[in-house]
C-alpha cells in the first residue's frame, strides 16, 4: 500500500474517532496539525511522511481521550504493520507521538520529526484557533471563563496572583509560554504572529471586563 493510501485510511479512522469531540480535539485539530507539520517539515528538511503519520495519530493515545492508551497503541502498530510499514518506521512514529506531549515531557523531542510535529501541535494551541479551543475546552470541563482578582498583573503578562483554574488562567499557565518553546525556526516565526494576537486579545478582554465587579 502506498503512503497516500495509508494516510487516507488513517484520516478516516481519526475522523470517526474524533467526529463528535467538543473538547478542542476534533478531527479538524488533527487535520490542521498535519497541514502545519507538512509546511514546517518541508522548510526544515524533515521526513514528511513520518510527520504526517504522527500528526494524524498524535492524540489517539492521550489518556484524557481514551480509556486504554496501550490497547490503542497496539491497534495502531498492528494497522501500520499490515499496511507494509517496517517495524523501525512504526517504532519511530510511535516515539514521535510519545515525545510531543507537553505535560509528560519537559524535554524537547530528540528527532527532527518530533520537533516539527510538536511545533505544529503547539501552533494549533495558540492564536485565534488556540483561543477558540481554550474556551471550548473550558466549557466542556465546566470551567469558568475568568475570575477577577489581580487585574494589575495581567497587562504586563505576569502570572496571576492567585491562579484559578479558569480559561483565562490557561493563557498564563501554557499558551503564552509556547512561543519561546518552539523547536524550529519556522515554527517560531509562525508562533510570533499568533502570540501577538493572544496578547491583543487579552488586552481587549481586560478592557471590556468592568472594573470593581
Ligand atoms: P494537545 O494534546 O492537542 O496539545 P491539550 O490536550 O493539552 O492539547 O489541550 C487541548 C486544547 O485545550 C488546547 O487548545 C489547550 O490549550 C486547551 N486546554 C488544555 N487545558 C486547558 C485548560 N485547563 N483550560 C482551558 N483550555 C485548556
Ligand atoms: Ni494535539
Amino acid at each position: 500500500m502506498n503512503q497516500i493510501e495509508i494516510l487516507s485510511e488513517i484520516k478516516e479512522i481519526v475522523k470517526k474517532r474524533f467526529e463528535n469531540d467538543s473538547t478542542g480535539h476534533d478531527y479538524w485539530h488533527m487535520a490542521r496539525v498535519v497541514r502545519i507539520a507538512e509546511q514546517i517539515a518541508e522548510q526544515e528538511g524533515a521526513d514528511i511522511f513520518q510527520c504526517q503519520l504522527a500528526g494524524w495519530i498524535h492524540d489517539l493515545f492521550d489518556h484524557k481521550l481514551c480509556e486504554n492508551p496501550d490497547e490503542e497503541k497496539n491497534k495502531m502498530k498492528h494497522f501500520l504493520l499490515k499496511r507494509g510499514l517496517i517495524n523501525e518506521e512504526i517504532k519511530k512514529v510511535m516515539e514521535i507521538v510519545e515525545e510531543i506531549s507537553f505535560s509528560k515531557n519537559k524535554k524537547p523531542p530528540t528527532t527532527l520529526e518530533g520537533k516539527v510535529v510538536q511545533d505544529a501541535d503547539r501552533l494549533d494551541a495558540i492564536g485565534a484557533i488556540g483561543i477558540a479551543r481554550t474556551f471550548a475546552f473550558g466549557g466542556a470541563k465546566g470551567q469558568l471563563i475568568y475570575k477577577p482578582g489581580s487585574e494589575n498583573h495581567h497587562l504586563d503578562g505576569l502570572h496571576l496572583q492567585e491562579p484559578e483554574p479558569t480559561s483565562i488562567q490557561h493563557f498564563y499557565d501554557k499558551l503564552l509560554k509556547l512561543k519561546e518553546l518552539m523547536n524550529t525556526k519556522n515554527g517560531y516565526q509562525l508562533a510570533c504572529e499568533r502570540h501577538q494576537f493572544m496578547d491583543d486579545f487579552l488586552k481587549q478582554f481586560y478592557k471590556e471586563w468592568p472594573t470593581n465587579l
Side-chain angles (χ1 to χ4, degrees), residues 136-149:
F137 181 101
K141 300 286 171 215
Q143 172 177 284
L144 280 179
I145 292 175
Y146 170 55
K147 187 162 181 185

Side-chain angles (χ1 to χ4, degrees), residues 25 29 59 62 64 121 133-134 137 143 167 170 174-175:
H25 285 103
H29 165 60
D59 276 334
D62 188 323
K64 296 194 295 293
D121 193 30
R133 291 179 72 213
T134 297
F137 181 101
Q143 172 177 284
S167 292
H170 186 62
K174 178 176 170 184
L175 308 183

Side-chain angles (χ1 to χ4, degrees), residues 17-197:
R17 170 68 183 76
F18 290 110
E19 212 162 31
N20 298 314
D21 180 281
S22 57
T23 67
H25 285 103
D26 55 19
Y27 161 78
W28 294 108
H29 165 60
M30 317 305 153
R32 288 189 304 264
V33 168
V34 172
R35 182 59 56 84
I36 306 168
E38 287 166 349
Q39 258 180 45
I40 302 177
E42 207 166 313
Q43 306 276 345
E44 304 281 332
D47 182 316
I48 296 191
F49 181 57
Q50 291 274 347
C51 292
Q52 289 168 318
L53 272 182
W56 279 117
I57 68 173
H58 80 275
D59 276 334
L60 277 178
F61 324 116
D62 188 323
H63 63 94
K64 296 194 295 293
L65 306 169
C66 76
E67 279 181 11
N68 194 337
D70 286 337
E71 194 182 306
E72 294 294 325
K73 276 183 205 167
N74 284 335
K75 266 201 250 169
M76 182 49 66
K77 284 183 199 166
H78 188 69
F79 169 91
L80 294 172
L81 203 58
K82 272 181 81 178
R83 263 102 193 136
L85 261 76
I86 57 169
N87 271 320
E88 253 168 52
E89 288 175 305
I90 298 174
K91 198 166 155 244
K92 173 138 185 232
V93 173
M94 300 310 276
E95 270 169 16
I96 297 173
V97 172
E98 198 63 34
E99 281 191 328
I100 67 171
S101 154
F102 177 86
S103 44
K104 265 189 276 169
N105 296 300
K106 299 287 174 209
K107 282 188 245 150
T110 53
T111 61
L112 177 58
E113 288 72 22
K115 291 180 171 121
V116 167
V117 181
Q118 186 177 66
D119 278 4
D121 193 30
R122 287 175 167 174
L123 280 162
D124 204 55
I126 61 177
I129 287 181
I131 294 172
R133 291 179 72 213
T134 297
F135 291 104
F137 181 101
K141 300 286 171 215
Q143 172 177 284
L144 280 179
I145 292 175
Y146 170 55
K147 187 162 181 185
S150 46
E151 288 79 359
N152 295 339
H153 296 267
H154 293 142
L155 290 177
D156 53 10
L158 293 175
H159 262 280
L160 297 175
Q161 287 287 291
E162 289 167 21
E164 296 278 344
T166 66
S167 292
I168 289 291
Q169 179 56 35
H170 186 62
F171 284 77
Y172 301 92
D173 291 342
K174 178 176 170 184
L175 308 183
L176 294 170
K177 294 176 181 168
L178 293 179
K179 181 182 78 166
E180 293 306 325
L181 292 173
M182 287 289 145
N183 303 298
T184 65
K185 192 166 149 253
N186 214 256
Y188 181 77
Q189 280 165 355
L190 293 168
C192 287
E193 187 190 7
R194 295 180 188 216
H195 185 96
Q196 184 60 49
F197 189 84

